[in-house]
Amino acid sequence: MKLYLIRHGETDWNKVRRLQGSSDISLNACGRKLAELTRDGLKQIPFDAAYSSPLDRAAETGKIILKGRNLSLHMDSRLAEVDFGEYEGIREQELRDRQDPFMDFFDNPENFRKKGGAENHRDVINRAVDFLEDVVLPAEEKYKHMVIFSHGAWIHALLTKLYHRKIRDFWHAPRQENCGVSTVEVRNGECTVLEESRIFYSI
């Protein structure tokens, strides 16, 4: 089975680098266009199972990419983005200007300490692994092309697990871009990453 991990399209908060996390922010016009171009790039892939984070930006990306297909999009809260707690909505530059240690989440993952009700990297990895073991692996014999619409940190979390990386390498390149598509082969219960963050647009 092939597993396709797709990050949502752009939002206004992405554009100004505002911590988005669990905030339910919708796609902007550019984000919808990116999803449409990605749909064109994936039109030959016969998806037969589709799951999404319940957050609107991921779900709308999924609906755009799956438009015209007779396929249900199943929501699962385990696919949601990391919860930044009280840091939701703050611009990254503001945190850097005041040298807030919260930026360790991005700059120094292994030394990040939970604060303000935020999740840490291990929390997101645990959710990703739970979904992998509960939904993805048991579906190997049932489906050939499963797609998941989720978020940047969530995709990095799953890849961290699949590559057996340490938390310090959570943000290992390449960065999961908006509407970037990462592909994983699932065979005999084992997962092999084939491609990371493939882009189908040039705008």
Side-chain angles (χ1 to χ4, degrees), residues 1-4 137 140 162 183-195:
M1 181 177 75
K2 293 284 183 63
L3 175 66
Y4 301 83
L137 297 183
E140 179 186 347
L162 297 184
T183 308
V184 178
E185 181 178 55
V186 182
R187 180 178 295 181
N188 299 322
E190 298 294 327
C191 297
T192 303
V193 180
L194 303 179
E195 188 173 28

Side-chain angles (χ1 to χ4, degrees), residues 116-182:
E119 288 185 297
N120 64 16
H121 306 80
R122 182 58 59 189
D123 293 327
V124 188
I125 290 171
N126 288 342
R127 286 198 279 110
V129 170
D130 187 48
F131 185 84
L132 176 73
E133 295 177 345
D134 182 48
V135 177
V136 177
L137 297 183
E140 179 186 347
E141 300 301 323
K142 185 176 181 181
Y143 302 116
K144 292 185 177 180
H145 298 275
M146 177 184 289
V147 60
I148 291 174
F149 300 97
S150 189
H151 308 266
W154 191 93
I155 294 174
H156 275 283
L158 184 58
L159 293 176
T160 296
K161 169 63 177 180
L162 297 184
Y163 279 120
H164 306 289
R165 290 172 177 153
K166 296 185 181 299
I167 295 297
R168 67 169 180 261
D169 297 319
F170 187 90
W171 299 109
H172 193 287
R175 180 177 183 270
Q176 300 300 308
E177 301 291 346
N178 289 120
C179 283
V181 182
S182 294

Side-chain angles (χ1 to χ4, degrees), residues 26-188:
S26 298
L27 298 178
N28 59 21
C30 177
R32 295 184 182 97
K33 182 63 175 178
L34 299 185
E36 291 168 357
L37 293 171
T38 303
R39 177 184 63 207
D40 294 342
L42 295 172
K43 63 185 177 182
Q44 300 302 324
I45 307 296
F47 297 127
D48 48 7
Y51 293 84
S52 176
S53 156
L55 295 175
D56 187 68
R57 59 190 183 272
E60 185 178 6
T61 299
K63 291 171 184 175
I64 292 172
I65 289 176
L66 297 176
K67 184 178 180 180
R69 300 174 187 252
N70 184 24
L71 186 62
S72 297
L73 183 60
H74 303 284
M75 305 296 165
D76 195 300
S77 61
R78 291 171 291 186
L79 303 177
E81 182 59 302
V82 58
D83 189 337
F84 287 124
E86 66 183 35
Y87 284 82
E88 298 267 332
I90 302 176
R91 293 181 64 169
E92 289 183 25
Q93 191 57 53
E94 178 183 338
L95 296 174
R96 294 195 184 281
D97 288 346
R98 70 190 196 204
Q99 297 183 327
D100 196 303
F102 191 84
M103 289 307 293
D104 281 344
F105 185 88
F106 303 101
D107 301 336
N108 193 8
E110 66 181 334
N111 289 322
F112 175 74
R113 297 293 178 265
K114 283 187 179 184
K115 60 184 300 188
E119 288 185 297
N120 64 16
H121 306 80
R122 182 58 59 189
D123 293 327
V124 188
I125 290 171
N126 288 342
R127 286 198 279 110
V129 170
D130 187 48
F131 185 84
L132 176 73
E133 295 177 345
D134 182 48
V135 177
V136 177
L137 297 183
E140 179 186 347
E141 300 301 323
K142 185 176 181 181
Y143 302 116
K144 292 185 177 180
H145 298 275
M146 177 184 289
V147 60
I148 291 174
F149 300 97
S150 189
H151 308 266
W154 191 93
I155 294 174
H156 275 283
L158 184 58
L159 293 176
T160 296
K161 169 63 177 180
L162 297 184
Y163 279 120
H164 306 289
R165 290 172 177 153
K166 296 185 181 299
I167 295 297
R168 67 169 180 261
D169 297 319
F170 187 90
W171 299 109
H172 193 287
R175 180 177 183 270
Q176 300 300 308
E177 301 291 346
N178 289 120
C179 283
V181 182
S182 294
T183 308
V184 178
E185 181 178 55
V186 182
R187 180 178 295 181
N188 299 322

